[in-house]
Amino acid sequence: MNTTNKKIIIAPLNWGLGHATRCVPIIKALIENSFTPIIASDGNALEFLRKEFPNLKYIELPTYNISYHRNIKLGLFLQFPKILKAVEEEKKVINKFIKQNKDVVGIISDNRFGVRSTLVSSVYITHQINVLSGKTTFLTSFFHQKIIKKFDECWIPDNENSQFSGKLSLTNKKINSKFIGVLSRFKKEGLEQKIDVLVILSGVEPNRTILEKKLIKEFKNDARNIVFVLGKVEVDQKKWITNHITFYNYLVSNQLQEKINSSKIVICRSGYSSIMDLAVLQKKAFFIPTKNQTEQEYLALYLSNKKIAPFCNINNFTKDKLLELEKYTGLKVKESKLNSNLFSLFKRK
């Protein structure tokens, strides 16, 4: 590993695995540019990155412990005091670590509000400059942008024309933002497509399990080659077959890359990291957005209107819905290569 003693803390939010997975190419680019990444997170996001980069050092941060609520906007509002407390705690942890480790030269925070410091240059990663929340969109966007402005730079994982994020990433001159291209941990491979339908589950509970049960019931005893990746990061990796369906509790990046490249159709949530991964691998996808999660609902509708990928809600899904894919182009984009100039911020202090 070609690294120096210049350390960069990289801290993804533990909300599903999307924030952690899109940090993978950034971590690899840091190593390629002779920085030493220090991973900072909690829960499944931390466990996932431990498995991806077992030789790196880690900081366990206080958990936001955001629990699911039927109304996500109301749920986040009610949990705001708890989130604010975690933000203040993680800020203390990060500043203490920097003071004890003088070779830390920067921070990259993926949606963790408190992972920043005046001692080093701090970057915030988000595709949501604008946070959609219905009638309160102006308010939620205002507060998020207020947080973003406390960082030295904001990196937006998309092309400059907001190809996949749409109005979510529309920015203004008051934010020092950079479009850094479409991020994915995966590489496109020309493999034989042996998997007819690949189901990739992710997200917070109980929604993940609800979707799992719905789709298992729908594809039970289907004659096609159906594979489920449950998105449950556990100590041991498991594989089993039930009702002609092949199951994996989780797959590490190279294994999931092989499965997606080998699939004809992918069913998953319309989370932004999933969209970027499938675009780089140029796949046909059917999306089932998480109910009441405005961002996923917007992205699914945005891509459907552009005739890129169809979607429906969980209650309306049947396997016959997959026939709609013939009317859509699928997700396609060239892989983005992170430019070494992106890290020039960390060389100025």
Side-chain angles (χ1 to χ4, degrees):
M1 188 179 293
N2 182 26
T3 57
T4 67
N5 61 348
K6 292 182 179 180
K7 297 187 173 73
I8 304 287
I9 296 171
I10 182 160
L13 179 66
N14 179 36
W15 178 265
L17 286 179
H19 297 282
T21 60
R22 73 183 183 190
C23 283
V24 170
I26 296 176
I27 293 169
K28 290 180 178 179
L30 285 170
I31 294 171
E32 289 172 2
N33 284 274
S34 299
F35 291 103
T36 300
I38 305 293
I39 311 299
S41 192
D42 66 285
N44 284 340
L46 182 62
E47 186 61 28
F48 167 79
L49 289 173
R50 280 185 190 275
K51 293 180 183 295
E52 293 292 315
F53 301 98
N55 296 322
L56 294 181
K57 292 184 179 179
Y58 297 84
I59 306 169
E60 186 159 1
L61 294 176
T63 180
Y64 285 23
N65 198 26
I66 303 172
S67 57
Y68 179 80
H69 193 279
R70 285 184 64 186
N71 185 317
I72 290 181
K73 290 179 287 185
L74 177 60
L76 290 175
F77 176 78
L78 294 174
Q79 296 174 80
F80 185 74
K82 179 174 66 174
I83 296 170
L84 189 61
K85 181 180 178 181
V87 168
E88 290 302 314
E89 288 177 355
E90 70 181 1
K91 192 184 299 181
K92 292 177 183 177
V93 171
I94 290 298
N95 276 306
K96 182 180 178 181
F97 184 87
I98 293 172
K99 289 176 181 178
Q100 293 176 344
N101 296 268
K102 302 298 183 182
D103 48 1
V104 175
V105 297
I107 292 171
I108 301 174
S109 168
D110 190 324
N111 278 258
R112 294 197 80 115
F113 303 156
V115 183
R116 58 182 175 83
S117 175
T118 57
L119 301 175
V120 297
S121 297
S122 302
V123 170
Y124 189 77
I125 300 177
T126 186
H127 63 280
Q128 291 189 82
I129 303 295
N130 304 294
V131 181
L132 304 184
S133 57
K135 294 179 181 179
T136 58
T137 290
F138 172 79
L139 193 61
T140 51
S141 298
F142 172 80
F143 281 113
H144 194 214
Q145 290 171 24
K146 189 174 181 180
I147 291 168
I148 294 171
K149 290 172 187 175
K150 295 180 180 180
F151 290 76
D152 296 294
E153 287 184 359
C154 176
W155 293 354
I156 303 171
D158 201 349
N159 298 321
E160 290 189 3
N161 61 355
S162 298
Q163 183 177 2
F164 296 105
S165 53
K167 65 183 179 182
L168 297 180
S169 63
L170 294 181
T171 185
N172 57 64
K173 294 180 180 179
K174 295 180 180 180
I175 296 175
N176 185 19
S177 59
K178 291 181 179 179
F179 286 88
I180 62 173
V182 177
L183 296 181
S184 176
R185 54 183 163 147
F186 298 136
K187 304 283 185 185
K188 181 170 174 54
E189 300 173 291
L191 302 180
E192 182 182 353
Q193 297 184 350
K194 297 179 179 179
I195 300 172
D196 294 302
V197 180
L198 175 64
V199 176
I200 304 175
L201 299 173
S202 61
V204 294
E205 297 290 3
N207 262 24
R208 192 211 61 81
T209 297
I210 292 171
L211 182 58
E212 175 187 334
K213 291 180 178 178
K214 167 71 174 180
L215 295 179
I216 288 175
K217 183 179 180 180
E218 191 63 33
F219 288 105
K220 183 179 179 181
N221 293 320
D222 194 296
R224 292 172 293 180
N225 183 9
I226 312 293
V227 176
F228 275 61
V229 180
L230 300 181
K232 298 171 70 173
V233 181
E234 298 170 324
V235 175
D236 297 318
Q237 194 175 46
K238 301 171 186 175
K239 174 187 176 181
W240 67 97
I241 297 174
T242 304
N243 295 320
H244 302 289
I245 301 173
T246 301
F247 292 89
Y248 297 87
N249 56 344
Y250 76 92
L251 295 174
V252 295
S253 289
N254 64 321
Q255 295 169 328
L256 186 55
Q257 173 179 293
E258 185 270 332
K259 287 290 183 289
I260 299 175
N261 274 299
S262 301
S263 66
K264 297 174 183 175
I265 296 171
V266 176
I267 300 175
C268 64
R269 297 294 194 189
S270 50
Y272 190 64
S273 295
S274 297
I275 290 169
M276 289 194 295
D277 286 338
L278 295 174
V280 167
L281 298 184
Q282 301 182 12
K283 303 306 296 185
K284 287 235 174 186
F286 192 101
F287 293 118
I288 305 176
T290 304
K291 185 178 180 180
N292 294 325
Q293 192 161 323
T294 314
E295 174 214 356
Q296 288 194 14
E297 291 173 337
Y298 165 75
L299 289 170
L301 180 60
Y302 175 69
L303 295 175
S304 177
N305 287 341
K306 294 179 74 174
K307 289 297 178 182
I308 292 175
F311 79 99
C312 73
N313 64 44
I314 185 173
N315 294 327
N316 291 336
F317 180 81
T318 68
K319 59 185 180 182
D320 290 339
K321 287 276 187 181
L322 298 182
L323 297 173
E324 296 178 14
L325 283 161
E326 296 177 5
K327 304 174 185 177
Y328 293 79
T329 62
L331 294 122
K332 296 178 183 179
V333 74
K334 289 184 178 180
E335 180 186 358
S336 299
K337 178 68 176 177
L338 293 175
N339 194 306
S340 60
N341 292 332
L342 186 65
F343 305 122
S344 60
L345 174 71
F346 304 126
K347 300 173 184 177
R348 295 204 289 264
K349 287 193 177 183

